[in-house]
Amino acid sequence: MSIANALNNAVSGLTAAARGTEVVSSNLANALTPGYGRRELELSPRVNAGNGGGVQIASVQRIVSNAVLADFRQSSAALGRSSAHHAFFAKFEASIGLPGETGSLTTLMSDLSSALTSAASRPDSEIRLQGVVDAAGDIAHKLRTISDSIQDSRSSADRQIAAQVTGLNSDLSEVARLNQKIIAERANGRDDSSLNDARQAVIDRIAQIVPIRELPRENGRVAIFTAGGLALLDSNKPLSLGFQPTGKLTPEIDERSALLGRLSIDGEIASATEINQLSGGSLIEQFRTRDEYGTAAQARVDAIARELHDRFADPTVDPSILAGAPGLFTDAGTSLDPSKEQGLAARLRLNANIDPRQGGELWRVRDGVNALAPGEVGNSIIITGLATGMDEARPYASGQAAISSGNLHGLAAAVITETGTSRLRSEARKTHDASLHDSLQGALFADAVDSDREMEMLLQLEKAYAANAKVIQAVNEMLDNILRI
């Protein structure tokens, strides 16, 4: 080997060591950066006219486990879905209240029953009659509060859909832009690792909204499909999603309403098949919260409201009530049209005839809601009949009731049980998804930057740099000796 070859080899070694030091420093600097893929320097021998030609830098590899990353993204979508599902039922259960809790629906039902029993024992007592009015008013207010909470959850889901669609369109456009930049960087022979980091972070955000699969394409470009097979990005132009938020939702705006915002794809209303292809993440779960869970919960509460309305408007108990007329409870001041049960919980009001705050008289609790004059102060027949009606087991009037028959207490308890069961199931699913997500995130971190390993590599690079520098120093001394001859 000539002195010139020795010098060239040493220079190539210095170059490789310097580039390796740069890679290690980048790794250490980004040790805590989310989405950063650890870099490794790929070296290969350089051949020069059949002789040893030193070393050359083959490439800088970005170390990421594609299999773990794909599973992590699927777990992100599943966690987004279960979190949205759990959030709705947790809020719905909280609005109803747990049995025995002050202010819960079952507690207020028991309070009304107790107030009626107390008033029946002393129908002449205005204090006890006022207790009935207050207890009945509390129940009506509670049902309106529950209804408002349901509609608030639906409205929130509607806003979340709009925000996620906007974010999804923006992120898909960003991936398309990064694809083009990566193609350009590779064409110019430059390192595209940083662009890959940025693209991975964007795709990770998309995966929280819809479950996706990332497929490699030519020149470093990637395509994105949903787990259901819908192409979100497979060219320079991504799929365009559209959604117009509805605004504040009411019980009357259900999944059949023309007022409800719909998802569109490239300007066309999404079909049931396309919706199914997008399912599995938080986006479609928000649609289900708005259009399925929310409307079903409202129907359950409306069924309770109707049963209250009907049982306290029984002409056989209170002869002053004409057939079809309201009793203690009204539908926004009038009688209920059975065909318009939807949203009744939001409209349920105390009959003004018995409420002194609305100009009514307390004695009508005892003598009939439509009585023209006070009757015998010791007459408790109507009050006893109302109490009996609350406790009597009979088929429920509403087809949306949680169970087919029973008393008012049983109907309220059935809704709480059903809601609690749904909340517990969603909580278990969310816990499972969170655990899997954390586990896969840990597996990704295992491929991430290990500071101890990087410091060990830095020491090796330092030794290699020093050795190559020593070769150059030796060559320099040899040349000096020759020149001195």
Side-chain angles (χ1 to χ4, degrees):
M1 178 184 293
S2 69
I3 292 179
N5 280 345
L7 185 60
N8 285 335
N9 291 347
V11 170
S12 71
L14 286 176
T15 302
R19 185 71 176 96
T21 303
E22 180 185 343
V23 169
V24 169
S25 67
S26 176
N27 286 341
L28 289 170
N30 289 279
L32 300 177
T33 303
Y36 178 80
R38 176 171 58 86
R39 277 53 155 171
E40 283 189 359
L41 193 66
E42 290 267 332
L43 302 176
S44 61
R46 187 178 64 186
V47 178
N48 182 17
N51 298 317
V55 64
Q56 65 181 0
I57 300 170
S59 65
V60 177
Q61 292 292 327
R62 181 172 177 268
I63 308 301
V64 175
S65 172
N66 290 327
V68 175
L69 181 60
D71 288 343
F72 173 74
R73 287 171 174 167
Q74 291 295 318
S75 73
S76 294
L79 181 58
R81 177 195 61 209
S82 58
S83 295
H85 188 264
H86 174 262
F88 172 79
F89 284 102
K91 184 175 179 180
F92 182 33
E93 184 183 46
S95 70
I96 297 173
L98 299 177
E101 228 175 35
T102 301
S104 71
L105 185 58
T106 52
T107 298
L108 294 177
M109 285 283 187
S110 298
D111 290 347
L112 178 56
S113 182
S114 299
L116 287 168
T117 302
S118 177
S121 67
R122 284 289 307 277
D124 60 317
S125 171
E126 288 199 354
I127 294 177
R128 299 195 182 193
L129 296 178
Q130 183 66 54
V132 173
V133 171
D134 291 342
D138 287 344
I139 288 183
H141 180 265
K142 181 66 174 179
L143 290 174
R144 293 196 301 272
T145 301
I146 295 171
S147 178
D148 288 346
S149 176
I150 293 169
Q151 299 313 312
D152 181 66
S153 292
R154 295 183 68 216
S155 298
S156 176
D158 193 68
R159 292 191 297 271
Q160 284 292 320
I161 293 168
Q164 290 186 8
V165 166
T166 300
L168 196 55
N169 285 330
S170 175
D171 286 342
L172 287 171
S173 295
E174 180 64 8
V175 172
R177 186 186 71 83
L178 289 169
N179 273 344
Q180 294 304 309
K181 292 196 70 173
I182 288 171
I183 291 172
E185 289 297 294
R186 289 198 174 188
N188 291 319
R190 292 193 289 263
D191 180 22
D192 60 2
S193 296
S194 295
L195 292 172
N196 276 283
D197 286 340
R199 185 173 65 185
Q200 178 180 320
V202 177
I203 296 176
D204 287 348
R205 286 202 304 268
I206 295 173
Q208 295 172 9
I209 300 173
V210 292
I212 59 169
R213 291 183 295 123
E214 177 188 328
L215 300 179
R217 292 290 189 257
E218 70 283 352
N219 300 320
R221 183 173 66 86
V222 297
I224 302 175
F225 289 78
T226 68
L230 182 66
L232 298 177
L233 174 65
D234 197 17
S235 63
N236 294 334
K237 183 180 179 182
L239 197 74
S240 177
L241 299 176
F243 179 79
Q244 183 62 42
T246 309
K248 184 171 177 58
L249 291 170
T250 64
E252 291 73 25
I253 302 177
D254 60 13
E255 69 278 5
R256 299 162 295 182
S257 174
L259 299 175
L260 204 62
R262 312 286 179 182
L263 183 68
S264 65
I265 297 178
D266 289 335
E268 300 290 333
I269 297 298
S271 66
T273 300
E274 289 171 326
I275 292 291
N276 188 57
Q277 288 176 318
L278 286 164
S279 65
S282 61
L283 177 62
I284 300 305
E285 196 64 19
Q286 295 292 355
F287 272 103
R288 288 176 178 152
T289 294
R290 189 193 69 173
D291 302 339
E292 296 177 23
Y293 311 144
T295 53
Q298 183 68 50
R300 291 290 194 246
V301 181
D302 289 341
I304 296 175
R306 179 172 180 182
E307 202 63 27
L308 274 168
H309 176 280
D310 290 358
R311 292 197 183 210
F312 285 92
D314 187 350
T316 63
V317 175
D318 184 349
S320 72
I321 300 174
L322 300 176
L328 255 63
F329 298 97
T330 69
D331 181 357
T334 63
S335 184
L336 169 66
D337 179 350
S339 67
K340 297 180 180 178
E341 179 185 318
Q342 186 175 2
L344 176 60
R347 305 189 303 267
L348 196 69
R349 297 292 187 276
L350 195 61
N351 195 321
N353 289 349
I354 66 168
D355 187 2
R357 287 165 294 191
Q358 301 181 64
E361 299 289 348
L362 289 173
W363 51 262
R364 287 196 174 101
V365 174
R366 177 188 65 228
D367 301 321
V369 294
N370 295 316
L372 300 177
E376 174 61 45
V377 295
N379 185 2
S380 64
I381 294 176
I382 290 178
I383 298 175
T384 300
L386 294 175
T388 301
M390 280 197 72
D391 297 332
E392 182 182 356
R394 65 174 79 159
Y396 297 122
S398 174
Q400 300 297 324
I403 51 178
S404 59
S405 63
N407 58 27
L408 273 171
H409 304 284
L411 181 57
V415 172
I416 291 176
T417 299
E418 182 182 64
T419 305
T421 299
S422 296
R423 193 265 304 164
L424 286 171
R425 286 175 179 170
S426 65
E427 191 172 277
R429 185 66 196 176
K430 179 185 174 183
T431 301
H432 170 270
D433 290 342
S435 176
L436 179 60
H437 182 269
D438 291 345
S439 175
L440 289 168
Q441 192 169 52
L444 281 176
F445 285 156
D447 283 332
V449 177
D450 181 342
S451 298
D452 291 340
R453 182 181 179 279
E454 297 300 324
M455 292 304 295
E456 181 181 346
M457 178 61 68
L458 190 61
L459 290 174
Q460 293 177 9
L461 289 168
E462 183 184 4
K463 291 178 181 178
Y465 193 92
N468 283 285
K470 188 68 175 176
V471 171
I472 293 175
Q473 182 182 5
V475 169
N476 183 61
E477 291 175 355
M478 292 170 65
L479 290 174
D480 285 345
N481 288 334
I482 292 173
L483 290 174
R484 284 196 296 268
I485 296 176

